[in-house]
């Protein structure tokens, strides 16, 4: 099948932007049109917490330079919302020019939206989902002394830590019985709770916020005083456009292994897509899906087989990683180390001598090796303790011992061999490696490993 001549992409976030750059890299002739409704150039949403914490600048989040679209002949309708899809005529419809845009292949990359709980006064709370939200929070924080964060999931913890780092007294109000219940077991969550308290962050568990006022957030009869309230209650896929067009929608827009919807002319990728039973809210799966569709739309066979779940919390003074099914307890081998006083918890979930899940809290030097073993589905060493404590390996250098095929940057699937090749071609620092390979440009958690590889290369000419 020849590549489609007219490709329309609805959404220009992390999935949509990756798709467009990959499409243009593979096919210079396709006519590509992008609709995005935020009115901004695409940026890395996963690093918003770093901006809030002051460890990254807004401009560092940019995924595509402003001139790229013009230089590569990509039409972008910025700040324009697609309101309908005419599947019979193969057109997308918008309320402002262009009112009708034809397509040969349509890709929905509409992302997700924050879950806003039905709480009286919740409009007084700020969201923490977009760059605009982050800018608003930073502005409000300058004149605030106390903050309440509604939600103790990953985003809520990152928001709370960022606000605490700005000098605010922060309270987290979480509905569940323990923090990050989607990624952590109860023991790990209890240790995380202690770490947050050591950082001066108060936590109310099992807390139902009943209303938000200008004085703060109310949990039953109790007022949690605040000058600033942030709602971080999770997200859900944006599926309204697809549903109105008659596409099959479950939790997300249902897609097959070619990421096609129930209409073969329409694909869906990123946080709005549901592959099998999974809706992924992580960066790496978004980019993996974008790469598959880019290949398919330029005439190269490809299939998406699902993604490995690797989560890294991005909060100063809190090291936390969760891989796969780290909460499973039955029918598996468990290897666990818990030291609450030291803020450390390490747990491996093993089935048939392969790693199927892990939770690492505290010092996480083991996460690189464990991620590689998890990604490859490799057999594990008999001495399990060496996996939890890499320094027990009798002086062996984990970076040097990595196989060439080891994935260092899971967001972009960049291997040790690719980083070595970039170094051999003159990429002498992490920034240069990022430009050459895209390593570190996702969640950024691999930057330390990339730096170690470069240091090793310089010292020993790997």
């Amino acid at each position: 099948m020849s590549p489609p001549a007219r490709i329309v992409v609805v959404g220009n976030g992390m999935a949509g932007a990756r798709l467009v750059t990959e499409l243009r890299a593979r096919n210079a002739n396709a006519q590509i049109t992008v609709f995005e409704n935020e009115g901004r150039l695409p940026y890395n949403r996963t690093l918003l917490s770093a901006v809030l914490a002051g460890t990254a600048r807004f401009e560092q989040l940019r995924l595509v330079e402003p001139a790229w679209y013009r230089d590569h002949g990509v039409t972008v309708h910025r700040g324009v919302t697609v309101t309908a899809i005419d599947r019979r005529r193969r057109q997308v419809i918008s309320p402002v020019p262009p009112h009708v845009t034809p397509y040969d292949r349509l890709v929905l990359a509409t992302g997700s939206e924050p879950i806003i709980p039905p709480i009286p006064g919740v409009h007084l709370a700020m969201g923490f989902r977009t760059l605009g939200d982050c800018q608003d929070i930073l502005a409000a924080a300058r004149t605030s002394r106390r903050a309440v964060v509604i939600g103790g999931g990953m985003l809520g913890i990152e928001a709370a830590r960022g606000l605490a780092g700005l000098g605010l007294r922060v309270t987290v109000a979480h509905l569940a019985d323990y923090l990050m219940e989607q990624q952590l077991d109860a023991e790990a969550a209890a240790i995380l709770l202690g770490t947050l308290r050591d950082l001066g962050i108060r936590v109310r568990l099992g807390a139902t916020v009943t209303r938000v006022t200008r004085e703060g957030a109310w949990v039953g009869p109790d007022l949690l005083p605040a000058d600033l309230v942030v709602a971080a209650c999770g997200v859900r896929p944006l599926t309204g456009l697809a549903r109105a067009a008659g596409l099959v929608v479950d939790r997300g827009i249902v897609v097959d292994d070619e990421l096609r919807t129930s209409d073969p002319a329409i694909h869906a990728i990123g946080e709005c897509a549901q592959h099998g039973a999974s809706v992924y809210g992580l960066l790496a799966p978004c980019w993996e899906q974008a790469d598959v569709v880019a290949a398919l739309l330029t005439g190269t066979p490809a299939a998406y087989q699902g993604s490995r779940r690797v989560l890294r919390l991005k909060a100063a003074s809190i090291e936390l990683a969760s891989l796969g099914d780290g909460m499973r307890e039955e029918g598996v081998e468990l290897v666990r180390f818990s030291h609450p006083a030291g803020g450390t918890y390490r747990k491996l979930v093993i089935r048939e001598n392969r790693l199927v899940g892990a939770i690492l809290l505290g010092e996480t030097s083991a996460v690189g090796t464990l991620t590689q073993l998890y990604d490859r589905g490799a057999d594990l060493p008999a001495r399990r303790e060496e996996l939890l404590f890499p320094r027990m390996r009798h002086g062996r250098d984990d970076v040097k011992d990595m196989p060439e095929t080891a994935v260092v940057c899971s967001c972009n699937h960049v291997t040790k061999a690719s980083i070595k090749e970039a170094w051999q071609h003159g990429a002498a620092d992490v920034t240069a490696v990022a430009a050459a390979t895209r390593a570190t440009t996702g969640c950024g958690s691999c930057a330390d490993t990339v730096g170690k590889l470069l240091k090793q290369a310089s010292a020993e000419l790997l």
Side-chain angles (χ1 to χ4, degrees):
M1 181 179 65
S2 60
R6 296 172 302 180
I7 300 171
V8 173
V9 182
V10 179
N12 200 28
M14 293 185 294
R18 174 62 167 250
L19 171 67
V20 171
T21 55
E22 283 297 308
L23 282 170
R24 189 51 88 217
R26 293 167 179 267
N27 184 344
N29 299 317
Q31 178 183 319
I32 303 173
T33 302
V34 180
F35 288 85
E36 67 86 29
N37 62 4
E38 197 173 328
R40 297 180 184 272
L41 289 167
Y43 58 90
N44 189 337
R45 198 184 305 275
T46 65
L47 296 180
L48 287 176
S49 58
V51 173
L52 187 60
T55 58
R57 300 184 306 277
F58 288 121
E59 55 269 24
Q60 292 176 287
L61 275 61
R62 186 178 295 155
L63 293 172
V64 182
E65 293 301 317
W68 185 91
Y69 295 97
R70 182 191 67 244
D71 294 345
H72 290 83
V74 174
T75 300
V76 180
H77 299 295
R78 194 170 298 159
V80 177
T81 300
V82 170
T83 54
I85 301 168
D86 186 334
R87 291 168 51 196
R88 185 175 65 83
R89 294 185 176 89
R90 291 195 177 183
Q91 298 173 340
V92 298
I93 300 162
S94 60
V96 295
H99 295 292
V100 174
T101 303
Y103 65 85
D104 296 306
R105 202 68 63 87
L106 172 64
V107 183
L108 301 178
T110 50
S112 58
E113 63 181 349
I115 296 173
I116 305 299
I119 302 170
V122 74
H123 64 279
L124 296 172
M126 293 185 171
F128 185 40
R129 177 65 181 163
T130 69
L131 188 54
D133 292 338
C134 192
Q135 291 171 321
D136 289 344
I137 291 171
L138 283 170
R142 295 189 189 103
T143 57
S144 299
R145 294 184 300 109
R146 298 168 299 185
V148 168
V149 176
I150 305 173
M154 182 179 74
L155 196 61
I157 299 302
E158 291 180 350
R161 182 65 187 100
L163 290 169
L166 295 174
L168 278 70
R169 296 180 60 188
V170 181
T171 301
V172 175
H174 190 47
L175 181 63
D177 292 333
Y178 61 86
L179 296 167
M180 292 185 65
E181 72 279 2
Q182 299 297 317
Q183 295 87 22
L184 303 182
D185 59 27
E187 188 172 1
I191 295 174
L192 174 61
L193 176 62
T195 299
L196 291 175
R197 286 174 172 165
D198 288 345
L199 292 169
I201 298 171
R202 300 177 181 180
V203 178
R204 288 283 297 269
L205 297 173
T208 300
V209 176
T210 55
R211 59 191 168 116
V212 178
T213 66
R214 298 194 183 281
E215 289 72 41
W218 291 80
V219 176
D222 300 330
L223 172 66
L224 304 180
D227 311 299
L228 167 62
V229 178
V230 175
C233 305
V235 297
R236 58 180 161 230
L238 277 166
T239 60
L241 184 64
R243 192 184 299 274
L247 301 177
V248 175
V249 173
D250 185 18
R251 289 189 300 130
I253 305 169
V254 175
V255 296
D256 62 13
D257 288 351
E258 291 188 337
L259 296 160
R260 294 176 302 181
T261 68
S262 50
D263 182 334
I266 303 176
H267 297 258
I269 59 173
E271 294 179 315
C272 68
Q274 178 178 332
H275 179 259
S278 297
V279 176
Y280 296 94
L282 302 173
L283 179 59
C286 290
W287 283 356
E288 289 167 10
Q289 292 173 5
D291 291 349
V292 167
V293 173
L296 290 168
L297 295 188
T298 53
T300 301
Y304 179 68
Q305 301 297 331
S307 296
R308 301 281 192 173
R309 296 181 184 271
V310 180
L311 179 146
R312 295 290 296 265
L313 185 73
K314 296 168 290 298
S317 307
I318 307 173
E319 293 191 66
L320 172 62
S322 174
L323 315 179
D325 191 359
M327 293 185 288
R328 181 175 297 189
E329 297 278 339
E330 297 182 359
V332 293
E333 175 190 350
L334 296 177
V335 181
R336 189 175 356 225
F337 172 83
S338 179
H339 184 212
T344 301
Y345 181 79
R346 302 179 185 184
K347 173 185 177 182
L348 306 182
V349 183
I350 300 167
R351 187 176 64 238
E352 297 178 354
N353 204 39
R354 287 174 171 78
L355 186 67
V356 297
I359 297 172
L360 301 171
L361 175 60
E363 197 274 327
T364 55
S365 60
V367 72
T369 299
L370 293 175
T371 300
Q372 294 152 30
L373 292 169
Y374 172 63
D375 282 339
R376 299 198 309 268
D379 284 331
L380 301 181
R383 295 188 60 180
R384 310 298 204 208
E385 65 273 18
E386 291 186 352
L387 296 173
L388 292 182
F389 302 97
R391 293 182 182 138
M392 293 178 63
R393 302 175 67 193
H394 308 295
R396 293 166 63 188
D397 188 328
D398 284 338
V399 173
K400 184 176 181 180
D401 289 344
M402 279 185 188
E404 296 292 299
T405 57
V407 175
V408 177
C409 175
S410 54
C411 293
N412 289 288
H413 204 75
V414 181
T415 63
K416 174 184 176 181
S418 297
I419 293 170
K420 173 182 173 180
E421 181 180 0
W423 176 81
Q424 291 171 335
H425 285 85
D429 56 27
V430 173
T431 300
V433 169
T437 68
R438 287 179 167 159
T440 76
T441 62
C443 70
S445 62
C446 63
D448 183 59
T449 302
V450 172
K452 289 179 180 178
L453 282 169
L454 293 175
K455 184 177 180 180
Q456 188 73 33
S458 298
E460 300 185 14
L461 300 179
L462 284 179

